[in-house]
Amino acid sequence: MPGTFRVGSVVARFVLWSLADTGVSVAELRPELPQNDNETWFADEHTERLGSFAVFADTDAASEPLPERLLELIGKDPDLVELFDVA
């Protein structure tokens, strides 16, 4: 994932999918969303979007792969994955 981060900095990860072309709905995915203390999931059923915002101790942790089961259900990688230094 592109970007230069400060050593030892806390990193936020923003992930977003458009589900419009996937054949799966937000309602179908809700029970499958991982529950982590460092991650919050959000969705807009009207626009068929699903995403998460998570905070990690470092870039390596933030760069870990997304849950395989979720990727299988959606059938594609996220449309957007961005990492940010937490100021």
Side-chain angles (χ1 to χ4, degrees):
M1 289 180 208
T4 302
F5 299 91
R6 298 184 309 255
V7 174
S9 66
V10 174
V11 176
R13 181 180 71 197
F14 180 81
V15 178
L16 186 65
W17 281 273
S18 171
L19 303 175
D21 59 348
T22 65
V24 65
S25 70
V26 170
E28 292 171 299
L29 293 172
R30 280 190 198 281
E32 301 294 334
L33 298 178
Q35 300 300 309
N36 302 313
D37 290 339
N38 68 319
E39 188 165 32
T40 300
W41 291 90
F42 55 88
D44 182 340
E45 291 190 38
H46 180 70
T47 60
E48 299 181 85
R49 291 185 293 174
L50 174 71
S52 74
F53 180 81
V55 179
F56 298 92
D58 56 41
T59 305
D60 289 340
S63 299
E64 287 292 318
L66 294 163
E68 189 65 33
R69 176 73 178 138
L70 192 59
L71 293 172
E72 288 173 9
L73 290 169
I74 295 172
K76 67 176 190 175
D77 289 330
D79 296 294
L80 178 69
V81 177
E82 295 284 343
L83 299 181
F84 300 92
D85 277 332
V86 174

